Amino acid sequence: MVGAASPAGAARPACPAARPNQARCLTLIVSGRVHPNVAGWGPADFQARYDLPSTTKGSGQIVAVVDAYDNPNAASDLAAYRTQFGLGTANLTKFNQDGKTSNFPRGSSAWGIESDLDVEMVSATCPLCTIYLVEANSADTSDLDTAEAEAVKLGAHIVSSSWACLGITTCGSKRAFSHKGVAYLAAASDTGSQEAAPADFDTVAAIGGTTLSKSGSSYSETAWSTPGGCAMAIKKPVWQHDTDCSYRLANDAAAVATNIAEYDSYGYGGWFTIDGTSAAAPLIAGVFGLAGNAAAQDGGRTFWLKKHHKSLYDISGCSGYGYGQYSTCTGWGTPKGIGAF
């Protein structure tokens, strides 16, 4: 498959605009139904581009994804995705925000698209990882914060969130993303806004997006529309060493965020392609699962360590602020193996 950026204006948000103190999932639907000829990038592309040991690493690592509302078809949809791409049987458990495997919240076809994408992207990079889908009662940040905390209580080593309060850094509680020994990731803003919680919390790795291309057997990436920037309400982490922003600077790293294959039978009805950092965050969560070093992480700190930069691809094409290998669109880059994780 040869990928390209989606045509301008072609994508539409899966989730509706959010009210104050309510988060919005960040998946952007691009194409219509494409079954049986699956389009878009798949696991083999991610694993090849990022040189990942996906067939041998990740066993025993628990990656939780937190979403709002119930997707009653999450298990069967993930099975369809993994069957299509030869990933074997998933180790997936679905929980409500109180940690129960029953009494799930009311369903949402829009958020169901997001939750399917999240578990599929973790599977794409870390098929041997154990996956927890923790479903909040609603998109209110109080419920999502509860689900974040419950994911840690359930034993998750890595927690990924593909939703955001766009244009604001005070939405939700940083305490829900601050458990020591857990790697937190969140999708960065993919709009014109530079700020988005929870990605901008200094305890969270903010993940931007790229556009992937392939020529013959070679892959390349350029920056996608994830502006990043200076989160004015967030104190600068001690591990950030730039001098142009006196507050938290995002993003920290990036992964593919355009022309990605997804299967969803609940909200969409088959195969289609999506854009969004909502794919990039769980892809990177799976890479953390492969590395098995979640307990040593502190937000995006690992990507700011100079010794790790050689294990990240330097991505060009960002019009935002940057210096050296760093850019606000893609942070320090995309995975080149698991050495930076």
Side-chain angles (χ1 to χ4, degrees):
M1 293 182 290
V2 178
S6 303
R12 62 178 176 85
C15 289
R19 301 189 304 272
N21 292 317
Q22 194 174 62
R24 172 177 175 172
C25 74
L26 298 180
T27 297
L28 301 172
I29 298 172
V30 179
S31 77
R33 297 175 178 85
V34 292
H35 186 75
N37 299 312
V38 178
W41 302 114
D45 301 297
F46 310 137
Q47 293 172 23
R49 166 57 179 170
Y50 298 141
D51 192 23
L52 300 178
S54 299
T55 61
T56 59
K57 301 286 188 179
S59 181
Q61 292 293 299
I62 302 173
V63 180
V65 296
V66 173
D67 287 297
Y69 306 107
D70 181 39
N71 180 344
N73 298 353
S76 59
D77 285 353
L78 180 58
Y81 180 88
R82 291 176 66 112
T83 296
Q84 172 68 34
F85 294 111
L87 299 179
T89 302
N91 186 352
L92 170 72
T93 305
K94 187 172 73 171
F95 299 92
N96 65 18
Q97 71 176 42
D98 299 315
K100 308 299 183 184
T101 55
S102 60
N103 299 320
F104 296 110
R106 69 183 186 275
S108 165
S109 57
W111 276 85
I113 291 172
E114 182 60 70
S115 57
D116 271 344
L117 177 65
D118 288 348
V119 297
E120 289 169 12
M121 293 302 98
V122 175
S123 291
T125 51
C126 190
L128 299 181
C129 281
T130 296
I131 304 172
Y132 289 172
L133 170 59
V134 185
E135 297 180 332
N137 289 343
S138 74
D140 291 345
T141 54
S142 59
D143 285 332
L144 287 162
D145 285 353
T146 297
E148 291 281 338
E150 188 60 39
V152 175
K153 292 179 184 177
L154 291 166
H157 305 113
I158 301 147
V159 183
S160 179
S161 303
S162 291
W163 44 266
C165 298
L166 298 175
I168 187 170
T169 59
T170 57
C171 185
S173 172
K174 177 184 168 181
R175 291 192 304 272
F177 301 83
S178 299
H179 192 280
K180 294 295 183 183
V182 176
Y184 291 94
L185 302 92
S189 170
D190 50 17
T191 69
S193 171
Q194 292 184 338
E195 299 176 326
D200 287 338
F201 293 151
D202 59 1
T203 55
V204 177
I207 306 301
T210 68
T211 294
L212 182 66
S213 299
K214 185 178 182 182
S215 177
S217 60
S218 299
Y219 295 88
S220 61
E221 291 171 273
T222 54
W224 190 54
S225 55
T226 49
C230 203
M232 301 301 290
I234 306 295
K235 182 180 178 181
K236 194 167 195 65
V238 296
W239 38 263
Q240 287 195 334
H241 43 72
D242 64 289
T243 58
D244 288 75
C245 173
S246 57
Y247 296 90
R248 162 70 155 120
L249 182 63
N251 297 316
D252 300 310
V256 183
T258 61
N259 193 36
I260 293 170
E262 178 180 354
Y263 182 82
D264 171 84
S265 67
Y266 179 51
Y268 205 90
W271 288 98
F272 57 109
T273 57
I274 67 94
D275 288 354
T277 52
S278 54
L283 281 172
I284 294 291
V287 180
F288 272 111
L290 296 175
N293 293 322
Q297 304 308 319
D298 178 15
R301 175 181 177 273
T302 187
F303 303 115
W304 288 77
L305 298 176
K306 187 175 181 180
K307 65 180 180 179
H308 288 168
H309 295 169
K310 65 180 182 301
S311 297
L312 294 164
Y313 286 110
D314 184 0
I315 305 302
S316 64
C318 180
S319 59
Y321 163 71
Y323 63 98
Q325 187 174 332
Y326 181 83
S327 75
T328 54
C329 302
T330 58
W332 288 100
T334 60
K336 188 191 295 184
I338 59 174
F341 295 81

